[in-house]
Amino acid sequence: LGGSLLARIRAVDGSLKWAGLDLSQAFTSIVVPRWFWFWQAGPRMSVQEVPAHHRKPAWPENAHIRPYYRRAAMGGMYSVLWLMCLVLQAIRRTISSTPELRTFKVANLREVRINGSGMKSTDGTVYVHVDDVTAAHHSQQLANQCILKIGAALVAMGFLAEIEIELQALEYSE
């Protein structure tokens, strides 16, 4: 988390708990639109240069081909934008469809960044940095629940997520 964001979250009771997730192979999970393949093409090469077991029968022997990378390239501007849009979509859907998480604010949204209003530990905050998502709340249970639900939404979209939550001993009363 950036220091300026952390400084804008008011810890109402003096404490703030965190949970996070990291999307594994996030960029390569995204298949880019066909028009974008040409921007990620390798150099032109003769079919003869391609190992025989990788050649397609339809390729004429004297043809030249150009390999395309069909996944989002890590660090590319469009790749980052696509990934952030997908992650923010999963977060907003999760927060809006889960009653106990509706008070959480997404710190990346323009209206939250500009005025910083409502970023209190009792409401909860979600912060996204490309393929990392962090939830903060004064309740560890709600921070964990937020991350687990967001992680489940991202996995349903086809991403792999590594989740980091604080495990607490559960007390049972009979």
Side-chain angles (χ1 to χ4, degrees):
L1 282 179
S4 63
L5 173 70
L6 189 57
R8 295 170 77 179
I9 301 173
R10 188 166 60 101
V12 175
D13 64 355
S15 67
L16 195 58
K17 309 292 192 272
W18 299 94
L21 69 84
D22 180 28
L23 295 174
S24 302
Q25 304 163 4
F27 290 99
T28 57
S29 297
I30 300 172
V31 178
V32 300
R34 187 179 186 92
W35 64 264
F36 201 76
W37 297 355
F38 304 101
W39 293 100
Q40 300 184 140
R44 201 175 98 140
M45 58 195 296
S46 165
V47 169
Q48 298 298 322
E49 296 176 80
V50 179
H53 63 282
H54 287 295
R55 291 184 203 159
K56 293 188 177 179
W59 292 346
E61 290 294 318
N62 61 346
H64 284 82
I65 61 167
R66 185 179 302 268
Y68 299 116
Y69 186 61
R70 299 175 182 190
R71 302 282 178 162
M74 185 173 171
M77 180 184 75
Y78 285 112
S79 301
V80 171
L81 289 173
W82 289 324
L83 181 58
M84 290 287 291
C85 286
L86 291 168
V87 171
L88 287 170
Q89 179 184 33
I91 290 169
R92 292 184 101 168
R93 284 183 181 172
T94 300
I95 289 172
S96 66
S97 68
T98 311
E100 54 273 19
L101 302 179
R102 287 193 183 137
T103 60
F104 276 76
K105 305 281 189 270
V106 181
N108 298 72
L109 299 181
R110 185 176 186 274
E111 62 271 15
V112 175
R113 279 194 337 262
I114 289 174
N115 64 22
S117 64
M119 293 201 323
K120 299 182 292 193
S121 63
T122 53
D123 293 338
T125 302
V126 177
Y127 176 73
V128 182
H129 178 73
V130 188
D131 62 348
D132 298 311
V133 181
T134 305
H137 198 277
H138 79 278
S139 162
Q140 186 69 60
Q141 182 179 357
L142 277 177
N144 291 351
Q145 182 181 5
C146 184
I147 285 298
L148 289 171
K149 289 199 176 272
I150 291 168
L154 289 165
V155 167
M157 292 171 78
F159 290 101
L160 301 173
E162 181 179 316
I163 297 175
E164 302 163 13
I165 60 173
E166 179 71 31
L167 298 176
Q168 297 178 342
L170 299 174
E171 294 181 23
Y172 294 99
S173 59
E174 296 181 36

